[in-house]
Amino acid sequence: MSNLSKTEKRLVGDLLGEAFEAELAAALEDVESAMVEWRRGELRPSEVQERIHEFHKESQEIFKTYNYLEPLLALGHAVELEFIPVAQIPQSLRERIGELRAVVR
């Protein structure tokens, strides 16, 4: 990210924050559905606990993606998985992000 302008760095950081929240929210949907199923008597508490455990593992991977991966690669990941629309990417970075999306695929 060292060859980005200050404005681009700030924007990439903001987009990564949005993507992190969006991906985490998507992962939480499984926990939410497990709780609903449990309340309806469709799941045992141990099954809900297993879904929470799986969420915890997934959330750790999401954290690593957005905090340890090279920022533009993480942004390519977020765009490829549609957590960030391409339209939000600055025109100056779209070609690079497009190339990185291919790596993510």
Side-chain angles (χ1 to χ4, degrees):
M1 218 164 79
S2 60
N3 56 349
L4 299 179
S5 70
K6 252 185 170 176
T7 302
E8 288 173 329
K9 285 180 185 181
R10 191 174 319 112
L11 182 58
V12 167
D14 291 346
L15 289 171
L16 290 176
E18 287 178 37
F20 172 77
E21 293 294 333
E23 192 164 348
L24 199 57
L28 272 169
E29 289 176 5
D30 189 51
V31 173
E32 180 182 36
S33 68
M35 296 297 288
V36 169
E37 292 172 42
W38 168 67
R39 284 192 177 98
R40 283 188 273 190
E42 298 168 2
L43 287 181
R44 296 185 319 250
S46 60
E47 292 170 309
V48 175
Q49 185 268 338
E50 180 58 32
R51 302 265 277 283
I52 292 169
H53 178 69
E54 289 303 316
F55 164 77
H56 179 68
K57 291 191 306 188
E58 185 177 358
S59 71
Q60 289 175 322
E61 293 304 312
I62 294 168
F63 180 85
K64 289 177 195 175
T65 296
Y66 294 104
N67 289 280
Y68 299 136
L69 202 59
E70 196 279 319
L72 290 181
L73 185 56
L75 189 54
H77 163 86
V79 171
E80 183 62 25
L81 295 179
E82 299 181 349
F83 291 112
I84 295 292
V86 174
Q88 283 189 263
I89 304 299
Q91 194 64 42
S92 62
L93 296 177
R94 284 189 189 171
E95 185 177 334
R96 289 168 65 187
I97 294 300
E99 293 167 1
L100 292 169
R101 286 177 69 185
V103 171
V104 172
R105 277 186 218 121

